[in-house]
Amino acid sequence: MKACIFDLDGTLTDTLESLTYSVSETLKEMGLPPITSEECRSFVGSGARVLMEKALKAAGEAEGLRIEEGMEIYGRIFDANCTYHVTPYEGVREMLAELKVRGMKLGVLSNKPHQQTVKVVREIFGEGVFDCVQGQREGIARKPDPEGVFWLMEALSASKEECLYIGDSEVDIQTGKNAGVRTIGVAWGFRSRETLKAAGAETIIVTPRELTDIQIL
């Protein structure tokens, strides 16, 4: 293996508080009730628009007529709060350092908007840890479409056989399968082990250290 591509939210970083806060502040500005953190946990994974569509429905706007208003407000609020109480999961820094020592190329692929993806990665991990960071942006289909994985594989100079994809949700498992790369599910994120199994995850790890113990690396 030459490259590891990671999901961000729920895989490298615990961003649930920042997402819940930003969505709830958006709904508050729209005169709607907030969502709970558990609701937010179940809504994330498919990008900002899907998150807001589900949040608006949960807040009583089932017809989705205010989605564009919600997206404009959320974009502004989340940009200012995307690192709010965000922390890396325990053991993630050490795992990344070990992979770097082994000469592994590291990338991030997130359905979070690209600008905020880059901002979170830089603030939490600094410069030089990841070789390439890709969030949701025009021109590259969001996960589970494999286009982002292919884009990163080319940027990291790795073939399908040389690349590992790591994520915490059913969207990530499907993304890896669609890309034809070996995929690892992580059980410390936003989805349960049972959800990952149901999505077809063949390998699930419960601590970051387990990734560096996998024999193929």
Side-chain angles (χ1 to χ4, degrees), residues 6 107-114 117-118 132-138 140 148-149 151-152:
F6 293 88
V108 172
L109 179 62
S110 177
N111 274 343
K112 185 195 294 290
H114 183 69
T117 297
V118 171
C132 195
V133 176
Q134 178 64 52
Q136 186 180 353
R137 66 179 184 181
E138 290 294 327
I140 297 181
V149 175
W151 189 91
L152 278 168

Side-chain angles (χ1 to χ4, degrees), residues 71-137:
M71 287 300 295
E72 186 280 322
I73 296 171
Y74 177 74
R76 167 169 46 81
I77 291 176
F78 185 57
D79 187 56
N81 295 281
C82 63
T83 59
Y84 177 74
H85 291 188
V86 172
T87 58
Y89 286 101
E90 183 177 356
V92 163
R93 292 189 191 278
E94 294 80 3
M95 172 193 70
L96 296 173
E98 174 62 23
L99 292 174
K100 295 288 283 186
V101 166
R102 298 186 189 186
M104 199 74 62
K105 295 284 188 178
L106 304 180
V108 172
L109 179 62
S110 177
N111 274 343
K112 185 195 294 290
H114 183 69
Q115 179 177 327
Q116 285 80 40
T117 297
V118 171
K119 185 182 292 189
V120 170
V121 170
R122 284 178 177 171
E123 182 160 328
I124 302 303
F125 298 104
E127 300 284 355
V129 175
F130 293 97
D131 300 281
C132 195
V133 176
Q134 178 64 52
Q136 186 180 353
R137 66 179 184 181

